[in-house]
PDB file of all heavy atoms in Angstrom:
ATOM      1  N   MET A   1      69.036  34.036-174.438  1.00  0.00           N
ATOM      2  CA  MET A   1      69.906  33.485-173.416  1.00  0.00           C
ATOM      3  C   MET A   1      69.792  31.955-173.339  1.00  0.00           C
ATOM      4  O   MET A   1      70.801  31.253-173.191  1.00  0.00           O
ATOM      5  CB  MET A   1      69.574  34.099-171.994  1.00  0.00           C
ATOM      6  CG  MET A   1      70.008  35.566-171.927  1.00  0.00           C
ATOM      7  SD  MET A   1      69.585  36.271-170.306  1.00  0.00           S
ATOM      8  CE  MET A   1      68.317  37.427-170.822  1.00  0.00           C
ATOM      9  N   HIS A   2      68.564  31.426-173.494  1.00  0.00           N
ATOM     10  CA  HIS A   2      68.378  30.000-173.501  1.00  0.00           C
ATOM     11  C   HIS A   2      69.047  29.370-174.756  1.00  0.00           C
ATOM     12  O   HIS A   2      69.639  28.308-174.657  1.00  0.00           O
ATOM     13  CB  HIS A   2      66.908  29.671-173.487  1.00  0.00           C
ATOM     14  CG  HIS A   2      66.276  29.841-172.126  1.00  0.00           C
ATOM     15  ND1 HIS A   2      66.633  29.082-171.037  1.00  0.00           N
ATOM     16  CD2 HIS A   2      65.309  30.713-171.702  1.00  0.00           C
ATOM     17  CE1 HIS A   2      65.924  29.455-169.994  1.00  0.00           C
ATOM     18  NE2 HIS A   2      65.105  30.435-170.366  1.00  0.00           N
ATOM     19  N   ARG A   3      68.992  30.095-175.875  1.00  0.00           N
ATOM     20  CA  ARG A   3      69.635  29.591-177.062  1.00  0.00           C
ATOM     21  C   ARG A   3      71.155  29.487-176.856  1.00  0.00           C
ATOM     22  O   ARG A   3      71.800  28.498-177.194  1.00  0.00           O
ATOM     23  CB  ARG A   3      69.359  30.475-178.276  1.00  0.00           C
ATOM     24  CG  ARG A   3      67.872  30.431-178.693  1.00  0.00           C
ATOM     25  CD  ARG A   3      67.677  31.000-180.101  1.00  0.00           C
ATOM     26  NE  ARG A   3      68.100  32.381-180.277  1.00  0.00           N
ATOM     27  CZ  ARG A   3      69.077  32.774-181.060  1.00  0.00           C
ATOM     28  NH1 ARG A   3      69.786  31.883-181.757  1.00  0.00           N
ATOM     29  NH2 ARG A   3      69.396  34.028-181.165  1.00  0.00           N
ATOM     30  N   LEU A   4      71.711  30.523-176.224  1.00  0.00           N
ATOM     31  CA  LEU A   4      73.156  30.532-175.912  1.00  0.00           C
ATOM     32  C   LEU A   4      73.546  29.446-174.912  1.00  0.00           C
ATOM     33  O   LEU A   4      74.611  28.857-175.031  1.00  0.00           O
ATOM     34  CB  LEU A   4      73.566  31.874-175.340  1.00  0.00           C
ATOM     35  CG  LEU A   4      73.744  33.027-176.377  1.00  0.00           C
ATOM     36  CD1 LEU A   4      74.193  34.278-175.701  1.00  0.00           C
ATOM     37  CD2 LEU A   4      74.740  32.627-177.497  1.00  0.00           C
ATOM     38  N   LEU A   5      72.652  29.156-173.964  1.00  0.00           N
ATOM     39  CA  LEU A   5      72.903  28.066-173.009  1.00  0.00           C
ATOM     40  C   LEU A   5      72.987  26.718-173.701  1.00  0.00           C
ATOM     41  O   LEU A   5      73.806  25.866-173.308  1.00  0.00           O
ATOM     42  CB  LEU A   5      71.845  28.054-171.906  1.00  0.00           C
ATOM     43  CG  LEU A   5      72.027  29.227-170.856  1.00  0.00           C
ATOM     44  CD1 LEU A   5      70.765  29.330-170.014  1.00  0.00           C
ATOM     45  CD2 LEU A   5      73.236  28.987-169.972  1.00  0.00           C
ATOM     46  N   HIS A   6      72.194  26.503-174.703  1.00  0.00           N
ATOM     47  CA  HIS A   6      72.286  25.278-175.470  1.00  0.00           C
ATOM     48  C   HIS A   6      73.577  25.242-176.279  1.00  0.00           C
ATOM     49  O   HIS A   6      74.242  24.165-176.379  1.00  0.00           O
ATOM     50  CB  HIS A   6      71.062  25.106-176.394  1.00  0.00           C
ATOM     51  CG  HIS A   6      69.880  24.496-175.709  1.00  0.00           C
ATOM     52  ND1 HIS A   6      69.775  23.127-175.505  1.00  0.00           N
ATOM     53  CD2 HIS A   6      68.770  25.087-175.167  1.00  0.00           C
ATOM     54  CE1 HIS A   6      68.632  22.909-174.835  1.00  0.00           C
ATOM     55  NE2 HIS A   6      68.054  24.077-174.667  1.00  0.00           N
ATOM     56  N   PHE A   7      73.962  26.332-176.836  1.00  0.00           N
ATOM     57  CA  PHE A   7      75.283  26.413-177.539  1.00  0.00           C
ATOM     58  C   PHE A   7      76.381  26.144-176.533  1.00  0.00           C
ATOM     59  O   PHE A   7      77.360  25.394-176.832  1.00  0.00           O
ATOM     60  CB  PHE A   7      75.451  27.793-178.157  1.00  0.00           C
ATOM     61  CG  PHE A   7      76.823  28.065-178.686  1.00  0.00           C
ATOM     62  CD1 PHE A   7      77.341  27.334-179.754  1.00  0.00           C
ATOM     63  CD2 PHE A   7      77.641  29.016-178.128  1.00  0.00           C
ATOM     64  CE1 PHE A   7      78.628  27.578-180.218  1.00  0.00           C
ATOM     65  CE2 PHE A   7      78.906  29.289-178.566  1.00  0.00           C
ATOM     66  CZ  PHE A   7      79.429  28.523-179.610  1.00  0.00           C
ATOM     67  N   ALA A   8      76.332  26.770-175.340  1.00  0.00           N
ATOM     68  CA  ALA A   8      77.340  26.540-174.330  1.00  0.00           C
ATOM     69  C   ALA A   8      77.399  25.090-173.899  1.00  0.00           C
ATOM     70  O   ALA A   8      78.485  24.565-173.596  1.00  0.00           O
ATOM     71  CB  ALA A   8      77.081  27.456-173.157  1.00  0.00           C
ATOM     72  N   LYS A   9      76.251  24.433-173.854  1.00  0.00           N
ATOM     73  CA  LYS A   9      76.237  23.000-173.490  1.00  0.00           C
ATOM     74  C   LYS A   9      77.066  22.184-174.487  1.00  0.00           C
ATOM     75  O   LYS A   9      77.834  21.304-174.118  1.00  0.00           O
ATOM     76  CB  LYS A   9      74.804  22.481-173.450  1.00  0.00           C
ATOM     77  CG  LYS A   9      74.706  20.978-173.102  1.00  0.00           C
ATOM     78  CD  LYS A   9      73.253  20.590-172.969  1.00  0.00           C
ATOM     79  CE  LYS A   9      73.111  19.100-172.592  1.00  0.00           C
ATOM     80  NZ  LYS A   9      73.555  18.218-173.738  1.00  0.00           N
ATOM     81  N   ASP A  10      76.901  22.519-175.796  1.00  0.00           N
ATOM     82  CA  ASP A  10      77.698  21.822-176.817  1.00  0.00           C
ATOM     83  C   ASP A  10      79.213  22.019-176.605  1.00  0.00           C
ATOM     84  O   ASP A  10      80.044  21.185-176.993  1.00  0.00           O
ATOM     85  CB  ASP A  10      77.290  22.316-178.176  1.00  0.00           C
ATOM     86  CG  ASP A  10      75.985  21.714-178.665  1.00  0.00           C
ATOM     87  OD1 ASP A  10      75.453  20.816-177.994  1.00  0.00           O
ATOM     88  OD2 ASP A  10      75.467  22.217-179.701  1.00  0.00           O
ATOM     89  N   GLN A  11      79.524  23.170-176.013  1.00  0.00           N
ATOM     90  CA  GLN A  11      80.948  23.506-175.786  1.00  0.00           C
ATOM     91  C   GLN A  11      81.454  23.113-174.392  1.00  0.00           C
ATOM     92  O   GLN A  11      82.590  23.429-174.050  1.00  0.00           O
ATOM     93  CB  GLN A  11      81.153  25.003-176.022  1.00  0.00           C
ATOM     94  CG  GLN A  11      80.653  25.536-177.326  1.00  0.00           C
ATOM     95  CD  GLN A  11      81.284  24.904-178.518  1.00  0.00           C
ATOM     96  OE1 GLN A  11      82.443  24.756-178.611  1.00  0.00           O
ATOM     97  NE2 GLN A  11      80.427  24.454-179.460  1.00  0.00           N
ATOM     98  N   GLY A  12      80.594  22.502-173.603  1.00  0.00           N
ATOM     99  CA  GLY A  12      80.975  22.100-172.230  1.00  0.00           C
ATOM    100  C   GLY A  12      81.132  23.294-171.275  1.00  0.00           C
ATOM    101  O   GLY A  12      81.831  23.177-170.288  1.00  0.00           O
ATOM    102  N   ARG A  13      80.396  24.378-171.538  1.00  0.00           N
ATOM    103  CA  ARG A  13      80.542  25.580-170.731  1.00  0.00           C
ATOM    104  C   ARG A  13      79.141  26.089-170.255  1.00  0.00           C
ATOM    105  O   ARG A  13      78.977  27.230-169.899  1.00  0.00           O
ATOM    106  CB  ARG A  13      81.220  26.712-171.513  1.00  0.00           C
ATOM    107  CG  ARG A  13      82.490  26.350-172.184  1.00  0.00           C
ATOM    108  CD  ARG A  13      83.563  25.899-171.220  1.00  0.00           C
ATOM    109  NE  ARG A  13      83.996  26.967-170.307  1.00  0.00           N
ATOM    110  CZ  ARG A  13      84.848  26.780-169.318  1.00  0.00           C
ATOM    111  NH1 ARG A  13      85.378  25.592-169.061  1.00  0.00           N
ATOM    112  NH2 ARG A  13      85.200  27.815-168.562  1.00  0.00           N
ATOM    113  N   GLN A  14      78.178  25.203-170.202  1.00  0.00           N
ATOM    114  CA  GLN A  14      76.822  25.650-169.851  1.00  0.00           C
ATOM    115  C   GLN A  14      76.707  26.125-168.405  1.00  0.00           C
ATOM    116  O   GLN A  14      76.103  27.203-168.171  1.00  0.00           O
ATOM    117  CB  GLN A  14      75.840  24.445-170.048  1.00  0.00           C
ATOM    118  CG  GLN A  14      74.335  24.847-169.858  1.00  0.00           C
ATOM    119  CD  GLN A  14      73.433  23.653-169.983  1.00  0.00           C
ATOM    120  OE1 GLN A  14      73.627  22.640-169.275  1.00  0.00           O
ATOM    121  NE2 GLN A  14      72.457  23.737-170.862  1.00  0.00           N
ATOM    122  N   GLU A  15      77.281  25.419-167.460  1.00  0.00           N
ATOM    123  CA  GLU A  15      77.199  25.799-166.057  1.00  0.00           C
ATOM    124  C   GLU A  15      77.845  27.168-165.844  1.00  0.00           C
ATOM    125  O   GLU A  15      77.311  28.005-165.127  1.00  0.00           O
ATOM    126  CB  GLU A  15      77.893  24.766-165.189  1.00  0.00           C
ATOM    127  CG  GLU A  15      77.784  25.000-163.677  1.00  0.00           C
ATOM    128  CD  GLU A  15      76.551  24.376-163.087  1.00  0.00           C
ATOM    129  OE1 GLU A  15      75.918  23.574-163.780  1.00  0.00           O
ATOM    130  OE2 GLU A  15      76.254  24.717-161.907  1.00  0.00           O
ATOM    131  N   GLN A  16      78.967  27.368-166.465  1.00  0.00           N
ATOM    132  CA  GLN A  16      79.721  28.650-166.314  1.00  0.00           C
ATOM    133  C   GLN A  16      78.888  29.820-166.861  1.00  0.00           C
ATOM    134  O   GLN A  16      78.793  30.865-166.229  1.00  0.00           O
ATOM    135  CB  GLN A  16      81.063  28.571-167.020  1.00  0.00           C
ATOM    136  CG  GLN A  16      82.032  27.610-166.398  1.00  0.00           C
ATOM    137  CD  GLN A  16      81.910  26.185-166.920  1.00  0.00           C
ATOM    138  OE1 GLN A  16      80.887  25.812-167.499  1.00  0.00           O
ATOM    139  NE2 GLN A  16      82.941  25.398-166.701  1.00  0.00           N
ATOM    140  N   LEU A  17      78.264  29.628-168.016  1.00  0.00           N
ATOM    141  CA  LEU A  17      77.472  30.693-168.593  1.00  0.00           C
ATOM    142  C   LEU A  17      76.225  30.957-167.762  1.00  0.00           C
ATOM    143  O   LEU A  17      75.833  32.124-167.545  1.00  0.00           O
ATOM    144  CB  LEU A  17      77.089  30.359-170.041  1.00  0.00           C
ATOM    145  CG  LEU A  17      76.227  31.394-170.726  1.00  0.00           C
ATOM    146  CD1 LEU A  17      76.917  32.740-170.787  1.00  0.00           C
ATOM    147  CD2 LEU A  17      75.836  30.954-172.127  1.00  0.00           C
ATOM    148  N   LEU A  18      75.589  29.909-167.289  1.00  0.00           N
ATOM    149  CA  LEU A  18      74.327  30.136-166.493  1.00  0.00           C
ATOM    150  C   LEU A  18      74.636  30.921-165.262  1.00  0.00           C
ATOM    151  O   LEU A  18      73.901  31.885-164.926  1.00  0.00           O
ATOM    152  CB  LEU A  18      73.763  28.772-166.126  1.00  0.00           C
ATOM    153  CG  LEU A  18      72.410  28.889-165.327  1.00  0.00           C
ATOM    154  CD1 LEU A  18      71.364  29.578-166.108  1.00  0.00           C
ATOM    155  CD2 LEU A  18      71.953  27.465-164.934  1.00  0.00           C
ATOM    156  N   ASP A  19      75.735  30.599-164.554  1.00  0.00           N
ATOM    157  CA  ASP A  19      76.056  31.328-163.301  1.00  0.00           C
ATOM    158  C   ASP A  19      76.327  32.801-163.646  1.00  0.00           C
ATOM    159  O   ASP A  19      75.869  33.708-162.910  1.00  0.00           O
ATOM    160  CB  ASP A  19      77.359  30.718-162.683  1.00  0.00           C
ATOM    161  CG  ASP A  19      77.027  29.444-161.958  1.00  0.00           C
ATOM    162  OD1 ASP A  19      75.856  29.231-161.592  1.00  0.00           O
ATOM    163  OD2 ASP A  19      77.968  28.671-161.732  1.00  0.00           O
ATOM    164  N   LEU A  20      76.964  33.099-164.754  1.00  0.00           N
ATOM    165  CA  LEU A  20      77.259  34.484-165.156  1.00  0.00           C
ATOM    166  C   LEU A  20      75.974  35.217-165.513  1.00  0.00           C
ATOM    167  O   LEU A  20      75.804  36.393-165.205  1.00  0.00           O
ATOM    168  CB  LEU A  20      78.269  34.560-166.277  1.00  0.00           C
ATOM    169  CG  LEU A  20      79.718  34.166-165.932  1.00  0.00           C
ATOM    170  CD1 LEU A  20      80.564  33.992-167.184  1.00  0.00           C
ATOM    171  CD2 LEU A  20      80.281  35.251-164.993  1.00  0.00           C
ATOM    172  N   LEU A  21      75.055  34.523-166.201  1.00  0.00           N
ATOM    173  CA  LEU A  21      73.790  35.161-166.571  1.00  0.00           C
ATOM    174  C   LEU A  21      72.969  35.479-165.379  1.00  0.00           C
ATOM    175  O   LEU A  21      72.377  36.566-165.242  1.00  0.00           O
ATOM    176  CB  LEU A  21      73.034  34.251-167.537  1.00  0.00           C
ATOM    177  CG  LEU A  21      73.544  34.146-168.942  1.00  0.00           C
ATOM    178  CD1 LEU A  21      72.821  33.005-169.695  1.00  0.00           C
ATOM    179  CD2 LEU A  21      73.478  35.430-169.704  1.00  0.00           C
ATOM    180  N   TYR A  22      72.888  34.508-164.443  1.00  0.00           N
ATOM    181  CA  TYR A  22      72.139  34.774-163.163  1.00  0.00           C
ATOM    182  C   TYR A  22      72.698  36.007-162.476  1.00  0.00           C
ATOM    183  O   TYR A  22      71.963  36.878-162.050  1.00  0.00           O
ATOM    184  CB  TYR A  22      72.214  33.601-162.281  1.00  0.00           C
ATOM    185  CG  TYR A  22      71.165  32.522-162.493  1.00  0.00           C
ATOM    186  CD1 TYR A  22      71.465  31.170-162.401  1.00  0.00           C
ATOM    187  CD2 TYR A  22      69.840  32.860-162.817  1.00  0.00           C
ATOM    188  CE1 TYR A  22      70.537  30.183-162.587  1.00  0.00           C
ATOM    189  CE2 TYR A  22      68.898  31.889-162.977  1.00  0.00           C
ATOM    190  CZ  TYR A  22      69.218  30.542-162.894  1.00  0.00           C
ATOM    191  OH  TYR A  22      68.241  29.600-163.053  1.00  0.00           O
ATOM    192  N   ARG A  23      74.032  36.027-162.268  1.00  0.00           N
ATOM    193  CA  ARG A  23      74.598  37.127-161.536  1.00  0.00           C
ATOM    194  C   ARG A  23      74.370  38.409-162.260  1.00  0.00           C
ATOM    195  O   ARG A  23      74.087  39.466-161.629  1.00  0.00           O
ATOM    196  CB  ARG A  23      76.109  36.859-161.311  1.00  0.00           C
ATOM    197  CG  ARG A  23      76.784  38.060-160.591  1.00  0.00           C
ATOM    198  CD  ARG A  23      78.154  37.814-160.141  1.00  0.00           C
ATOM    199  NE  ARG A  23      78.690  38.997-159.506  1.00  0.00           N
ATOM    200  CZ  ARG A  23      78.409  39.342-158.231  1.00  0.00           C
ATOM    201  NH1 ARG A  23      77.645  38.552-157.496  1.00  0.00           N
ATOM    202  NH2 ARG A  23      78.904  40.428-157.758  1.00  0.00           N
ATOM    203  N   ALA A  24      74.543  38.441-163.581  1.00  0.00           N
ATOM    204  CA  ALA A  24      74.367  39.677-164.348  1.00  0.00           C
ATOM    205  C   ALA A  24      72.925  40.180-164.206  1.00  0.00           C
ATOM    206  O   ALA A  24      72.710  41.406-164.058  1.00  0.00           O
ATOM    207  CB  ALA A  24      74.699  39.446-165.806  1.00  0.00           C
ATOM    208  N   ASN A  25      71.952  39.276-164.262  1.00  0.00           N
ATOM    209  CA  ASN A  25      70.568  39.723-164.191  1.00  0.00           C
ATOM    210  C   ASN A  25      70.158  40.155-162.804  1.00  0.00           C
ATOM    211  O   ASN A  25      69.455  41.144-162.674  1.00  0.00           O
ATOM    212  CB  ASN A  25      69.655  38.545-164.647  1.00  0.00           C
ATOM    213  CG  ASN A  25      68.167  38.986-164.686  1.00  0.00           C
ATOM    214  OD1 ASN A  25      67.882  40.079-165.164  1.00  0.00           O
ATOM    215  ND2 ASN A  25      67.317  38.137-164.172  1.00  0.00           N
ATOM    216  N   PHE A  26      70.600  39.445-161.791  1.00  0.00           N
ATOM    217  CA  PHE A  26      70.107  39.739-160.442  1.00  0.00           C
ATOM    218  C   PHE A  26      70.998  40.643-159.585  1.00  0.00           C
ATOM    219  O   PHE A  26      70.520  41.238-158.647  1.00  0.00           O
ATOM    220  CB  PHE A  26      69.853  38.417-159.698  1.00  0.00           C
ATOM    221  CG  PHE A  26      68.657  37.671-160.243  1.00  0.00           C
ATOM    222  CD1 PHE A  26      68.843  36.526-160.970  1.00  0.00           C
ATOM    223  CD2 PHE A  26      67.359  38.135-159.996  1.00  0.00           C
ATOM    224  CE1 PHE A  26      67.743  35.825-161.484  1.00  0.00           C
ATOM    225  CE2 PHE A  26      66.275  37.459-160.530  1.00  0.00           C
ATOM    226  CZ  PHE A  26      66.458  36.320-161.271  1.00  0.00           C
ATOM    227  N   ALA A  27      72.262  40.715-159.947  1.00  0.00           N
ATOM    228  CA  ALA A  27      73.204  41.413-159.060  1.00  0.00           C
ATOM    229  C   ALA A  27      73.952  42.617-159.709  1.00  0.00           C
ATOM    230  O   ALA A  27      74.454  43.484-158.976  1.00  0.00           O
ATOM    231  CB  ALA A  27      74.247  40.447-158.504  1.00  0.00           C
ATOM    232  N   GLU A  28      73.949  42.687-161.037  1.00  0.00           N
ATOM    233  CA  GLU A  28      74.702  43.722-161.692  1.00  0.00           C
ATOM    234  C   GLU A  28      73.862  44.770-162.349  1.00  0.00           C
ATOM    235  O   GLU A  28      72.662  44.527-162.630  1.00  0.00           O
ATOM    236  CB  GLU A  28      75.679  43.066-162.700  1.00  0.00           C
ATOM    237  CG  GLU A  28      76.666  42.136-162.082  1.00  0.00           C
ATOM    238  CD  GLU A  28      77.567  41.407-163.095  1.00  0.00           C
ATOM    239  OE1 GLU A  28      77.444  41.679-164.320  1.00  0.00           O
ATOM    240  OE2 GLU A  28      78.371  40.570-162.655  1.00  0.00           O
ATOM    241  N   GLU A  29      74.412  45.938-162.532  1.00  0.00           N
ATOM    242  CA  GLU A  29      73.610  47.078-162.967  1.00  0.00           C
ATOM    243  C   GLU A  29      73.244  47.054-164.460  1.00  0.00           C
ATOM    244  O   GLU A  29      72.130  47.416-164.825  1.00  0.00           O
ATOM    245  CB  GLU A  29      74.367  48.394-162.673  1.00  0.00           C
ATOM    246  CG  GLU A  29      73.589  49.630-162.947  1.00  0.00           C
ATOM    247  CD  GLU A  29      74.262  50.887-162.448  1.00  0.00           C
ATOM    248  OE1 GLU A  29      75.265  50.768-161.749  1.00  0.00           O
ATOM    249  OE2 GLU A  29      73.795  52.002-162.791  1.00  0.00           O
ATOM    250  N   ARG A  30      74.172  46.632-165.287  1.00  0.00           N
ATOM    251  CA  ARG A  30      73.912  46.632-166.733  1.00  0.00           C
ATOM    252  C   ARG A  30      72.958  45.537-167.100  1.00  0.00           C
ATOM    253  O   ARG A  30      73.087  44.388-166.683  1.00  0.00           O
ATOM    254  CB  ARG A  30      75.233  46.455-167.474  1.00  0.00           C
ATOM    255  CG  ARG A  30      75.070  46.583-168.991  1.00  0.00           C
ATOM    256  CD  ARG A  30      76.435  46.466-169.663  1.00  0.00           C
ATOM    257  NE  ARG A  30      76.343  46.342-171.101  1.00  0.00           N
ATOM    258  CZ  ARG A  30      77.340  46.093-171.926  1.00  0.00           C
ATOM    259  NH1 ARG A  30      78.553  45.932-171.399  1.00  0.00           N
ATOM    260  NH2 ARG A  30      77.168  45.978-173.224  1.00  0.00           N
ATOM    261  N   SER A  31      71.988  45.892-167.935  1.00  0.00           N
ATOM    262  CA  SER A  31      70.898  44.953-168.299  1.00  0.00           C
ATOM    263  C   SER A  31      71.465  43.866-169.211  1.00  0.00           C
ATOM    264  O   SER A  31      72.398  44.041-169.984  1.00  0.00           O
ATOM    265  CB  SER A  31      69.780  45.678-169.049  1.00  0.00           C
ATOM    266  OG  SER A  31      68.815  44.786-169.507  1.00  0.00           O
ATOM    267  N   VAL A  32      70.807  42.690-169.148  1.00  0.00           N
ATOM    268  CA  VAL A  32      71.143  41.579-170.022  1.00  0.00           C
ATOM    269  C   VAL A  32      70.109  41.455-171.131  1.00  0.00           C
ATOM    270  O   VAL A  32      70.255  40.588-172.012  1.00  0.00           O
ATOM    271  CB  VAL A  32      71.193  40.230-169.272  1.00  0.00           C
ATOM    272  CG1 VAL A  32      72.339  40.215-168.265  1.00  0.00           C
ATOM    273  CG2 VAL A  32      69.863  39.921-168.544  1.00  0.00           C
TER     274      VAL A  32
END
C-alpha cells in the first residue's frame, strides 16, 4: 500500500488513494 501511495503521488492522486485505503481498512468488510 505504501508503494502504491508513492506511485499515486507521481500521478497526483496520493490523497485520494490514501483516503480510500483508510476507509477500506477501517470501515469496510473486505480486507485490504
Side-chain angles (χ1 to χ4, degrees):
M1 289 179 250
H2 284 296
R3 294 196 300 116
L4 283 182
L5 285 166
H6 276 280
F7 170 67
K9 180 177 180 291
D10 283 351
Q11 308 301 313
R13 309 300 293 176
Q14 187 184 53
E15 184 89 11
Q16 293 86 343
L17 179 58
L18 182 61
D19 284 339
L20 288 169
L21 289 171
Y22 273 142
R23 178 170 178 80
N25 183 45
F26 289 107
E28 298 177 2
E29 186 172 351
R30 185 177 170 188
S31 177
V32 295

